[in-house]
Amino acid sequence: LKLSSLKQVCSAIFSSLQPCLVSPDSKRQKVEGEAEIVTHKGQCHCGEVHFEVEGKPEWAAICHCSICRRCHSVPYAELCAYKPDNLKVPKGEASMSMYNCDGKNKEDRYFCKVCGSKVYSMLNHLGCKAVHLQNLTSPNHGPGGKIHEDFKPSCHIFYGSGTISSFDELPKFETLPQAFGGDGKKLPNDHHDTR
């Protein structure tokens, strides 16, 4: 899959979404003749590392792959992808470390050395950086927060590799959608209860 094709697919998916709601902690930036850019913030659990992302994510998905499950100690990871230049670490970059499964994986996973929280992953095979949805503080997706419409995942990926069934309305791809270089094969919600 060519990166230009992926960008076209991502743009088409999100072109109809409304502008982001802005929390008091978000920053707005207006460029002459262009739409307003909203900067959202997030951080690790202890607050040592802070990150900022510009605008809406290119895509958002729930990943059930075995590597995400083991690295995060969770049944799935909620990822919001951004162009690499649209993610900045203004505080705590020296407090981060990177893990890449002995250099054999397609993702470089960055985390806080102090508390161990995942900060973002560089998805080398897709040419983007993915933040973890629950680490965003503006809009607040953490404690007491609600997932903003622009950040809601659009599908489950690597669902066949997962361990729990999800009964939402989102498509469940055995591996990846065709737009991401997969075969696009979908699985039923109860896949893990019936196998």
Side-chain angles (χ1 to χ4, degrees):
L1 179 69
K2 293 181 181 177
L3 187 56
S4 61
S5 298
L6 178 60
K7 288 179 184 177
Q8 290 171 345
V9 170
C10 291
S11 294
I13 291 171
F14 291 102
S15 64
S16 64
L17 294 176
Q18 298 298 319
C20 295
L21 292 177
V22 180
S23 78
D25 292 332
S26 295
K27 296 187 294 187
R28 289 179 174 268
Q29 181 180 1
K30 179 95 171 152
V31 178
E32 186 77 26
E34 293 183 13
E36 201 165 44
I37 298 170
V38 179
T39 300
H40 302 286
K41 297 179 180 183
Q43 67 181 49
C44 66
H45 188 263
C46 72
E48 180 72 21
V49 179
H50 288 230
F51 66 86
E52 295 179 349
V53 290
E54 290 182 2
K56 296 182 234 179
E58 296 289 316
W59 54 263
I62 300 168
C63 184
H64 295 259
C65 81
S66 61
I67 297 170
C68 277
R69 289 187 288 111
R70 291 190 72 189
C71 286
H72 300 271
S73 297
V74 295
Y76 52 81
E78 298 168 309
L79 306 174
C80 297
Y82 286 86
K83 294 174 185 170
D85 291 342
N86 288 357
L87 187 148
K88 309 278 188 251
V89 180
K91 178 186 173 200
E93 193 162 10
S95 296
M96 290 191 334
S97 190
M98 188 272 288
Y99 177 69
N100 183 302
C101 299
D102 299 321
K104 298 176 184 173
N105 199 298
K106 296 176 183 176
E107 294 95 22
D108 299 330
R109 298 165 190 275
Y110 291 86
F111 60 94
C112 173
K113 291 190 261 187
V114 177
C115 67
S117 293
K118 310 309 181 258
V119 179
Y120 72 89
S121 295
M122 178 64 207
L123 307 178
N124 297 307
H125 57 303
L126 296 176
C128 60
K129 291 180 179 177
V131 297
H132 305 283
L133 178 64
Q134 300 300 324
N135 289 352
L136 285 163
T137 57
S138 72
N140 180 14
H141 294 141
K146 180 180 178 186
I147 297 174
H148 182 272
E149 189 68 32
D150 290 343
F151 293 85
K152 286 185 177 179
S154 61
C155 66
H156 292 260
I157 57 176
F158 296 104
Y159 195 67
S161 171
T163 57
I164 65 164
S165 293
S166 294
F167 292 90
D168 54 31
E169 299 297 320
L170 301 176
K172 278 82 176 168
F173 292 96
E174 183 173 29
T175 59
L176 290 170
Q178 289 178 333
F180 284 38
D183 63 10
K185 180 181 176 187
K186 293 182 183 178
L187 296 173
N189 286 342
D190 65 352
H191 172 75
H192 301 293
D193 298 329
T194 59
R195 61 180 176 158

